[in-house]
Amino acid sequence: MPDLRPRPLPELTILQHPAAKPAAARLPDLDHLAYGGDYSPEQWPGETWDRDYEAFDAARITTVTVGVFTWALTQPEEDVVDFSMLDRIVQRASDEGRSICLGTGTGALPPWIARKYPDTTRVDFEGRRHWYGQRHNACWSSPDYRRLAARIAERLAERYGSHPAVVAWHIGNEYGGRCYCDLCAAEFRRWLTARYETLDELNEAWNTVFWSHRFTDWGEIEPPSALTEHWGGLGKTAFQGITLDFHRFSTDNALRQFRDEKAAIREHSELPVTTNFMGFFQPLDYHRWSADLDFASWDNYPRRYDEPWATALAHDLMRGLKDGAPFWLMEQTPSVTASRDVNPVRRPGVVRLWSWQAVAHGADSVLYFQMRASRGACEMTHGAVLDHSGRLDTRAFREVAGIGKELETVGDILLGARTPARCALLVDWDSWWAVEMADGPNRHLRYLSTITDWARPFWEAGAQLDVVPVTADLSAYDVVAAPLLHLVKGDTAERLQAVAERGGTVITGCLSGRADEDDRRFLADAPGPLARLAGVQVAETDAAEPGVQNPVIFDAEEGASRAAGEMVFEVLVAEGAEVMARYGADFYAGEPAITRRTLRVDDDREGHVWYVGTQLDTVGLERILTRALERHDLVGPYAGVPGLEFATRVAPDGQAVDFLLHHGPLDATIRLHADGTDLLTGRDLDAGDLVVLHPTDVIVLRRTQPAPR
């Protein structure tokens, strides 16, 4: 009988943002790119397993993720642990020669836990205690949940930690949500005590003299919810500082639970540990997790086909979590998603295209959800490698098998390869939270859509891009973009200044430099600490409904071209910067909209700092960012070819591999940029060859000589 007695729990302490270089990544020890995905054989009888593994052979499946939602099977009662089913699952996968990413099963509570320990279920934003149901249904502050989750993780590690087929641990599943129960309130107060130490410091940070909010006892503080500080929904709060800290606390609280399970695993296993993220997921600051992940992984479910730069951006975010190390694509659908209002099927060739896009941006795996379609519940209509019939002649299975064959052909060439990026896009969850809950100037403004718009010109130019936190070391980058840098914390302004002072280019813009780390306004002209860097002052800030545009006219020496801004219009005063574009309408027509400051480095070099005072359209952003990329010779060889994505990875031995991925609707004819071999077809190609790429075509070119710069 396993020992299930309560164990001492670690104290919750504030987790600061990681240092510039997080702990080095530790990836699963494989000699190939992992291929396969989530498999739930516990849902099926043994004869189905036989057919499944025959199909897996045909599709070159090498890796299965199992046990993600098996907690109710492995622990049907508190004092009963039953590994008989999981033993069969693990042993069968091992006998079939598959590598295993083993889940702890803690992504959803078993019913008995919720019934026996009601405090393990969540209280929602409106103050309602939830009964058992769904998933993401546990309170991270519940001592009972944390104890039981850590204990089952330890028992799993004790049993399977030395199994030769197990290569990685998968904790939980798609961490998400927040809880507002009394336990979370108490933990929030402890977190605040660790952060501020005294109520005087807290009151100062939150500006509680406003609206008679001064706290005189820690017990007076409640989580900001629909019952306290919020009105009209989660995004509208009377006290931004309180809500900002609760968002930070919720991230740290979830991370503490992850760390509990990881520590329990470490009692018996040193295999690498991960959890599957969800790209740009607003509720949790993934950058705060980077030091605790052994390797990053995420689930890719794009909503649109026509924005491949948005998916590329999410891949780049995952790669940036571990200082540029490869990540795992933990989930994608082989055909169709579920649970959305409309769930279109992936068009022919798209799954292959998106799989290679993930690899191009740093993935060392291509994994699906799910390997076999579930027979019931909400994901029974979700696509799978094997549908309910189990047939091998479906289009989805044929495409999956084709990708498997290509990955097998490529072998280990790309394993561990990195992206040689000299461009960086700064992403800051604190600014994301702060700018979207600000009372002004425009509630329609969205952080994610803004950074996606800024990332698009990099993608279209074929410039390799790292997505990094504001704490990152910027010394390797020639171009650094920092849109909506609403909160300026620590030495961020000084490090951006250093980029320009060594000859690099910095681009920032509207609503940046407005507040400090506590979301208190700087007692200076906007953009606060960025004013000296940009050589600009914001005189006024106007706003308009979405769709209302103001022309932005570049000066004659810039070709007198027109772009447009919308939603936010900062009227700029140049103080050491050159005016590059002006507004064309309203009372501030003719006033500066875009500026550029030039810093002389030496006789041959100068640094540039651009400030964009509005939400600039695609035309305007492309003009500015392409100009910056051209200045540093960072434009790729196929810039201007509609829909053609160019990416590069460099293997540990220095071998460069280029990816050409055609997302456009029409054929593209190009002249190849370098000599090399297409790893997917074995064709030898020469620089200058005319190549026709059809929609969804992919070339993986192992270069025999460096690409021209």
Side-chain angles (χ1 to χ4, degrees):
M1 183 70 65
D3 179 7
L4 295 171
R5 289 173 296 179
R7 311 174 78 195
L9 294 170
E11 292 294 307
L12 176 65
T13 57
I14 181 172
L15 300 172
Q16 302 291 347
H17 274 286
K21 285 191 177 295
R26 293 180 55 240
L27 281 101
D29 185 15
L30 297 174
D31 60 1
H32 55 272
L33 300 179
Y35 191 54
D38 273 59
Y39 185 40
S40 301
E42 66 274 10
Q43 299 180 19
W44 305 98
E47 57 268 24
T48 303
W49 299 16
D50 297 338
R51 295 195 299 271
D52 288 349
Y53 276 104
E54 290 176 3
F56 296 168
D57 287 341
R60 274 76 166 181
I61 299 302
T62 68
T63 305
V64 289
T65 302
V66 299
V68 175
F69 289 109
T70 55
W71 195 354
L73 287 177
T74 55
Q75 192 176 9
E77 301 175 37
E78 183 164 6
D79 58 352
V80 176
V81 174
D82 180 2
F83 289 128
S84 57
M85 174 60 78
L86 198 54
D87 282 348
R88 290 176 56 207
I89 291 170
V90 169
Q91 194 56 49
R92 182 61 184 271
S94 177
D95 292 344
E96 295 286 348
R98 268 64 182 192
S99 299
I100 297 171
C101 180
L102 185 56
T104 60
T106 51
L109 288 172
W112 68 263
I113 294 180
R115 183 174 182 180
K116 186 172 183 178
Y117 300 105
D119 67 5
T120 60
T121 61
R122 287 182 180 171
V123 171
D124 66 21
F125 182 69
E126 284 77 28
R128 300 169 298 189
R129 168 73 70 178
H130 284 217
W131 299 102
Y132 179 78
Q134 302 183 51
R135 59 170 181 159
H136 300 157
N137 51 7
C139 171
W140 297 315
S141 296
S142 165
D144 293 308
Y145 171 71
R146 289 162 48 204
R147 169 178 59 85
L148 291 166
R151 193 61 177 139
I152 194 64
E154 181 178 356
R155 303 309 297 172
L156 286 162
E158 183 178 32
R159 191 169 190 88
Y160 304 109
S162 59
H163 196 290
V166 177
V167 298
W169 292 101
H170 182 309
I171 291 178
N173 185 76
E174 295 182 335
Y175 276 82
R178 299 186 179 108
C179 180
Y180 298 83
C181 71
D182 290 342
L183 290 172
C184 286
E187 294 295 276
F188 182 42
R189 296 177 194 119
R190 291 172 56 202
W191 186 94
L192 293 170
T193 303
R195 176 174 174 82
Y196 294 107
E197 296 185 355
T198 70
L199 280 170
D200 285 342
E201 290 294 324
L202 178 143
N203 284 312
E204 177 67 21
W206 288 357
N207 195 40
T208 58
V209 69
F210 181 76
W211 279 3
S212 192
H213 263 53
R214 184 169 182 80
F215 296 104
T216 57
D217 187 278
W218 293 100
E220 297 165 354
I221 301 169
E222 298 290 341
S225 70
L227 304 180
T228 57
E229 301 298 347
H230 282 256
W231 51 277
L234 183 62
K236 299 178 180 179
T237 177
F239 271 79
Q240 286 87 352
I242 297 175
T243 298
L244 178 62
D245 270 343
F246 190 73
H247 290 352
R248 290 166 171 158
F249 156 76
S250 295
T251 286
D252 287 354
N253 203 21
L255 178 53
R256 174 181 59 164
Q257 195 281 320
F258 173 88
R259 296 171 87 185
D260 285 351
E261 288 194 45
K262 182 178 179 181
I265 288 170
R266 284 287 176 260
E267 293 291 326
H268 304 281
S269 172
E270 291 300 320
L271 292 173
V273 174
T274 192
T275 190
N276 50 334
F277 286 158
M278 294 178 282
F280 284 90
F281 181 63
Q282 198 257 14
L284 296 180
D285 180 352
Y286 287 158
H287 285 140
R288 298 169 86 94
W289 293 63
S290 61
D292 292 279
L293 297 169
D294 291 326
F295 65 102
S297 64
W298 83 290
D299 302 344
N300 180 33
Y301 295 103
R303 291 182 177 271
R304 299 181 57 160
Y305 289 80
D306 58 350
E307 293 184 346
W309 51 87
T311 304
L313 180 68
H315 289 313
D316 295 340
L317 172 72
M318 293 300 116
R319 193 181 68 242
L321 292 178
K322 298 299 292 183
D323 194 32
F327 58 93
W328 269 30
L329 176 63
M330 189 64 76
E331 291 183 21
Q332 64 173 344
T333 178
S335 58
V336 65
T337 56
S339 303
R340 294 174 180 168
D341 291 341
V342 178
N343 298 279
V345 71
R346 301 289 186 255
R347 272 39 184 176
V350 168
V351 173
R352 174 178 181 260
L353 177 66
W354 287 358
S355 297
W356 281 111
Q357 183 188 38
V359 174
H361 285 265
D364 270 5
S365 75
V366 174
L367 304 176
Y368 300 101
F369 181 88
Q370 47 194 331
M371 298 305 294
R372 172 176 278 278
S374 178
R375 191 172 186 180
C378 69
E379 288 177 331
M380 63 182 171
T381 60
H382 196 291
V385 173
L386 294 167
D387 67 12
H388 297 99
S389 71
R391 292 172 54 162
L392 306 191
D393 59 353
T394 63
R395 178 170 65 85
F397 185 84
R398 293 197 308 269
E399 291 193 10
V400 166
I403 298 166
K405 184 176 181 180
E406 289 181 339
L407 289 168
E408 185 179 74
T409 299
V410 170
D412 64 353
I413 294 171
L414 294 167
L415 201 63
R418 288 180 168 246
T419 298
R422 290 164 55 198
C423 303
L425 179 71
L426 301 192
V427 168
D428 179 43
W429 256 265
D430 286 346
S431 289
W432 187 352
W433 293 327
V435 78
E436 291 193 3
M437 65 184 174
D439 275 334
N442 197 326
R443 287 195 182 277
H444 296 288
L445 186 144
R446 290 292 176 265
Y447 184 89
L448 180 54
S449 62
T450 298
I451 62 171
T452 303
D453 288 345
W454 280 55
R456 180 177 179 177
F458 289 97
W459 183 89
E460 291 183 331
Q464 309 308 290
L465 180 69
D466 281 348
V467 178
V468 297
V470 294
T471 53
D473 179 1
L474 303 178
S475 61
Y477 301 112
D478 295 323
V479 177
V480 177
L484 286 181
L485 191 59
H486 193 66
L487 308 185
V488 178
K489 304 170 292 187
D491 63 348
T492 301
E494 289 79 4
R495 288 183 296 106
L496 290 172
Q497 179 87 18
V499 173
E501 287 178 346
R502 58 176 168 76
T505 299
V506 175
I507 310 107
T508 188
C510 66
L511 301 186
S512 295
R514 294 298 181 103
D516 65 14
E517 66 178 346
D518 297 310
D519 205 5
R520 297 178 303 179
R521 288 299 169 118
F522 290 117
L523 301 181
D525 294 324
L530 304 179
R532 174 176 169 269
L533 168 69
V536 71
Q537 171 199 336
V538 178
E540 292 187 86
T541 301
D542 193 17
E545 294 291 329
V548 176
Q549 294 187 331
N550 192 321
V552 174
I553 304 168
F554 285 84
D555 284 356
E557 65 183 46
E558 298 297 310
S561 63
R562 282 177 174 258
E566 63 178 319
M567 288 204 284
V568 175
F569 311 96
E570 293 181 344
V571 182
L572 306 180
V573 177
E575 296 184 337
E578 178 184 2
V579 177
M580 307 302 288
R582 301 175 185 271
Y583 292 110
D586 219 308
F587 72 90
Y588 42 89
E591 295 295 329
I594 301 172
T595 62
R596 186 189 69 195
R597 181 183 174 215
T598 299
L599 290 75
R600 180 65 59 184
V601 178
D602 53 39
D603 291 341
D604 300 318
R605 290 184 302 154
E606 60 186 28
H608 289 172
V609 182
W610 291 78
Y611 190 92
V612 182
T614 182
Q615 290 290 96
L616 199 58
D617 65 5
T618 300
V619 172
L621 286 172
E622 183 177 342
R623 182 179 183 85
I624 293 170
L625 292 167
T626 301
R627 182 166 178 178
L629 295 172
E630 289 174 343
R631 190 170 89 87
H632 297 282
D633 194 22
L634 294 176
V635 175
Y638 305 110
V641 180
L644 185 57
E645 179 174 9
F646 177 77
T648 298
R649 290 181 70 176
V650 178
D653 64 359
Q655 174 68 63
V657 179
D658 295 334
F659 298 80
L660 284 68
L661 307 118
H662 189 28
H663 301 268
L666 303 174
D667 289 354
T669 302
I670 61 168
R671 289 195 179 276
L672 201 66
H673 65 286
D675 299 333
T677 301
D678 180 5
L679 295 175
L680 304 186
T681 64
R683 291 182 302 166
D684 290 327
L685 299 169
D686 296 325
D689 283 353
L690 280 177
V691 177
V692 178
L693 289 99
H694 305 297
T696 74
D697 271 357
V698 176
I699 293 175
V700 181
L701 188 74
R702 180 169 58 183
R703 273 190 257 157
T704 56
Q705 62 183 28
R709 301 203 55 81

